[in-house]
Amino acid sequence: MFHIFDKINNGGIYVIAEMSANHGGSLDTALQIVREAAKAGADCVKIQTYTADSITIDCDNEYFKIKGGLWDGYKLHDLYKEAGTPYEWHKAIKDECEKCGVDFLSTPFDPDAVDFLEDLGVEAYKIASFELNDVPLIEYAASKGKPMIMSCGMASPEDIQDAVDACRRAGNDKIVLLKCCSEYPANWEDMHLGNIPDMKKRFGVPVGLSDHSFGSIGAVVAVSLGARVIEKHVKIDGVESADSAFSMTMDEFANMVQDANNALAIAKGPDYSLSKKEQESTVFRRSLFAVKDINPGDEITAENVRSIRPGNGIRPKYLKQMIGKKAKSALKFGQPVTQEFLDELE
């Protein structure tokens, strides 16, 4: 059973560790990533299901060459051939996820990949930002009736609505949207995480963050704005790959999981009730005390009654109505002003 909605509905954060190319061409490394991500607090480990030929074509013209950025100079076919996860590894990775108690998730990039994952027994699908405009692919994956987690990098509200509508046309309302900035790495000022509450309201589904920025701050801000799913690329320290430059080490990932959960605890509300420790501290609030001896018949002034700590007397808001009135009973220096003393004033 895929646990994303259980985690969200119970008020938690569902954390996805994205392996992507960080296996570095080694199945042993891929399995190590699963084990270490599980220990670091991941709820799910995600891979990608494609071949270079299913995602692009082997063509040398200018359209297929990357200019600038992390993969400058690569031909698309060469990049995906290097970065892909072999189909024959998928079952071993899925089995390792089950052994470690985490969900297995993959991103299909064409209908054949969906069919392959169906045969493998996957329980959810992830749609990458770059495929969010591939409505036929989304509709086909959604037709399998399983949770659809869709990244929304580069997407307009209309693009997102098209993807959501594709799922619903297929009879599938098990949708989670991930705010994403499709930069590698993402600059904080470009992330626009303020979209998260708007996305929740606009599309009526849970929203999370697929985070390509450095560190934990993106996850912390996202959770404070209502994100309930965090996806982050993870790597084994020292293993180089096409994605390692913007990926987290496992220690960093473990810290992020803790930071995100702390952010969730901090951001709870609205709730104006006092904690137990706050209740214990109310005795040290300000209240009204006699700061000079007051005898019956004495006038109450700002010199004999003041607002001071601790909080054993009545609230300071009553001082103004006391000034100028006469005491009916005595109050010694250092004694709190009581409601009874206030009610007796003439």
Side-chain angles (χ1 to χ4, degrees):
M1 178 181 175
F2 202 74
H3 297 95
I4 190 166
F5 289 110
D6 287 343
K7 196 75 181 279
I8 293 171
N9 293 337
N10 286 322
I13 300 167
Y14 187 84
V15 182
I16 301 170
E18 164 67 271
M19 184 185 303
S20 191
N22 286 322
H23 51 69
S26 165
L27 176 57
D28 286 342
T29 299
L31 300 180
Q32 184 182 356
I33 286 174
V34 173
R35 291 190 291 271
E36 294 200 16
K39 288 178 184 176
D43 296 291
C44 174
V45 173
K46 188 183 88 65
I47 63 173
Q48 299 181 0
T49 303
Y50 66 83
T51 66
D53 292 319
S54 72
I55 203 169
T56 189
I57 57 174
D58 190 1
C59 181
D60 292 332
N61 73 31
E62 61 178 328
Y63 303 113
F64 297 89
K65 291 178 182 175
I66 301 173
K67 300 176 181 67
L70 190 61
W71 302 295
D72 183 47
Y74 265 100
K75 188 171 72 172
L76 284 178
H77 193 274
D78 292 341
L79 175 63
Y80 299 135
K81 188 174 182 180
E82 175 186 319
T85 303
Y87 280 35
E88 58 267 25
W89 292 4
H90 280 50
K91 185 177 187 307
I93 294 171
K94 181 174 181 289
D95 289 347
E96 194 70 18
C97 286
E98 292 172 359
K99 182 179 175 183
C100 294
V102 295
D103 290 338
F104 171 81
L105 180 64
S106 189
T107 301
F109 288 81
D110 72 318
D112 287 342
V114 175
D115 292 340
F116 173 80
L117 291 170
E118 278 293 296
D119 289 341
L120 195 63
V122 299
E123 297 179 302
Y125 288 102
K126 168 72 193 299
I127 301 297
S129 289
F130 291 83
E131 276 61 46
L132 194 73
N133 66 346
D134 192 342
V135 168
L137 173 63
I138 293 170
E139 197 162 350
Y140 185 63
S143 73
K144 305 305 178 182
K146 295 166 182 177
M148 295 288 291
I149 305 161
M150 301 192 290
S151 284
C152 300
M154 305 168 293
S156 68
E158 292 75 21
D159 292 331
I160 300 171
Q161 190 66 61
D162 284 347
V164 170
D165 289 345
C167 292
R168 290 176 173 157
R169 274 196 307 275
N172 190 334
D173 200 35
K174 303 170 188 174
I175 302 165
V176 176
L177 299 175
L178 302 184
K179 177 68 183 79
C180 181
C181 175
S182 295
E183 299 175 4
Y184 304 88
N187 293 315
W188 289 329
E189 61 270 21
D190 296 335
M191 292 176 67
H192 302 159
L193 298 192
N195 290 9
I196 289 171
D198 181 70
M199 289 170 66
K200 290 177 66 178
K201 181 179 179 182
R202 189 186 293 256
F203 302 108
V205 300
V207 175
L209 171 67
S210 178
D211 186 16
H212 302 144
S213 67
F214 289 127
S216 296
I217 192 169
V220 168
V221 173
V223 168
S224 71
L225 290 168
R228 291 299 175 263
V229 178
I230 300 294
E231 180 185 66
K232 195 82 170 182
H233 284 70
V234 295
K235 65 181 180 181
I236 301 298
D237 204 12
V239 176
E240 297 299 318
S241 78
D243 295 326
S244 59
F246 63 92
S247 300
M248 275 187 159
T249 66
M250 291 299 174
D251 286 344
E252 292 169 334
F253 181 75
N255 289 335
M256 185 209 71
V257 172
Q258 188 62 56
D259 288 344
N261 281 289
N262 287 340
L264 181 64
I266 290 168
K268 282 181 181 176
D271 182 353
Y272 295 94
S273 63
L274 303 186
S275 69
K276 182 179 179 181
K277 289 186 178 179
E278 272 194 312
Q279 290 171 8
E280 293 170 355
S281 294
T282 57
V283 70
F284 300 112
R285 299 175 83 184
R286 296 181 82 94
S287 68
L288 297 182
F289 269 79
V291 293
K292 291 184 178 178
D293 286 345
I294 300 173
N295 296 309
D298 286 352
E299 182 180 338
I300 304 302
T301 69
E303 283 70 45
N304 58 20
V305 172
R306 281 176 49 204
S307 166
I308 61 171
R309 294 185 184 186
N312 302 84
I314 60 175
R315 293 172 180 262
K317 67 180 182 179
Y318 297 110
L319 179 59
K320 187 174 181 180
Q321 73 184 71
M322 292 177 65
I323 298 297
K325 293 186 177 180
K326 301 231 175 142
K328 200 167 185 181
S329 56
L331 205 60
K332 296 294 185 183
F333 170 78
Q335 283 190 307
V337 177
T338 65
Q339 185 65 46
E340 182 182 8
F341 182 88
L342 173 64
D343 292 342
E344 290 176 347
L345 291 177
E346 297 178 341

